[in-house]
Amino acid sequence: MNRFALTLFIGITVIVTFLIGPDAHSAQLRPVRVAYSTPSAAQLPVVVALDAGYYEEFGLKVDLKSLASPQHNAGILSKSLDFSSTAINSVLSAGLAGVDVKILLNAVPFIAMTTYVRPEITDAKKLIGKKVGQTGQGPGISRSTSIATLRALGLDPEKDVEFVVLPSSAMSVQALIANTVQAVALANPQDVIARKAGMRVLHDISKDKIPLPSNVVWVTGEYLSKNRDVAVS
């Protein structure tokens, strides 16, 4: 478990203990519906906690689903989901749409993705005129990572490259391998797939610790006000 996953795990444990308290062990299990986005190191503790029975220890019966980020917002709004563990761009979209967003945990507080390029892109200048993939619409963490990386390497993200919207992280790495795009920001486990396919690291900007919430756990203000005794998963 890397440090991002460990951070999320500790955060979940702290919030569970604070909101529910030690007396919940003997109470009837409370049903909670939770979604996490694309499987990654940051999402791993959510699944591990379920498999290990930690939620039940704190009085929760968690229905855990893996959903694409756009489905999180739809689920929260329709009240078919209670909690969402996802990338910050989905949360921003919900907030801009008027949803009363309450972020309970900022699991990864800085850019933690790495920009990968095709093998023939041996330096940043060779990206000029090329296509850069971004996962999802809008100024999400994928696009933000690529913009910060390009600027750090002396390129103009608005003039030197063309951004291409891709529907998911899994599709992003496949688009890079297929040469549909020539660069894309990836996180684990997609970065492992890219390396095995011979893709190159252009720049690991996670070492720069640029502040930007990457993965958060959130609920609506309405849900939180009515269910403060329910823990985040």
Side-chain angles (χ1 to χ4, degrees):
M1 187 181 297
N2 66 20
R3 60 183 175 183
F4 307 132
L6 181 60
T7 298
L8 181 56
F9 180 79
I10 292 173
I12 289 171
T13 303
V14 169
I15 295 176
V16 166
T17 304
F18 176 76
L19 294 179
I20 295 184
D23 294 333
H25 296 277
S26 59
Q28 183 178 358
L29 295 181
R30 184 86 168 269
V32 180
R33 299 160 301 179
V34 181
Y36 68 97
S37 54
T38 304
S40 65
Q43 303 287 357
L44 182 61
V46 177
V47 180
V48 171
L50 179 67
D51 292 341
Y54 294 146
Y55 300 131
E56 290 190 5
E57 289 185 16
F58 288 95
L60 300 178
K61 183 175 178 59
V62 172
D63 177 14
L64 183 62
K65 299 177 180 179
S66 176
L67 299 174
S69 293
Q71 294 178 279
H72 286 227
N73 291 0
I76 291 287
L77 291 175
S78 67
K79 298 185 179 181
S80 60
L81 285 177
D82 300 318
F83 297 90
S84 167
S85 176
T86 188
I88 189 64
N89 49 301
S90 293
V91 185
L92 292 175
S93 297
L96 291 172
V99 178
D100 182 15
V101 171
K102 300 297 182 183
I103 295 177
L104 301 180
L105 177 65
N106 179 11
V108 186
F110 55 86
I111 294 179
M113 302 181 80
T114 302
T115 299
Y116 280 78
V117 295
R118 296 278 309 165
E120 60 270 20
I121 306 296
T122 55
D123 60 64
K125 290 183 179 180
K126 290 188 177 180
L127 267 182
I128 295 176
K130 303 297 185 182
K131 296 179 179 180
V132 177
Q134 70 173 69
T135 303
Q137 298 280 354
I141 184 61
S142 173
R143 184 184 179 97
S144 297
T145 299
S146 294
I147 288 175
T149 297
L150 292 170
R151 286 176 176 167
L153 297 176
L155 298 184
D156 186 336
E158 303 302 324
K159 297 179 180 180
D160 291 336
V161 300
E162 174 188 353
F163 281 95
V164 177
V165 175
L166 300 167
S168 68
S169 297
M171 291 290 289
S172 294
V173 67
Q174 294 304 322
L176 180 64
I177 294 171
N179 202 23
T180 303
V181 298
Q182 289 72 56
V184 69
L186 300 172
N188 183 279
Q190 282 73 33
D191 60 342
V192 176
I193 297 172
R195 286 198 300 271
K196 287 183 177 180
M199 304 299 106
R200 300 181 60 254
V201 173
L202 178 65
H203 182 58
D204 184 3
I205 205 166
S206 65
K207 296 178 180 178
D208 298 336
K209 298 293 189 296
I210 299 175
L212 180 69
S214 297
N215 191 88
V216 299
V217 179
W218 72 282
V219 297
T220 64
E222 178 186 3
Y223 183 88
L224 183 61
S225 67
K226 295 178 180 178
N227 300 275
R228 294 194 65 87
D229 58 331
V230 178
V232 178
S233 57

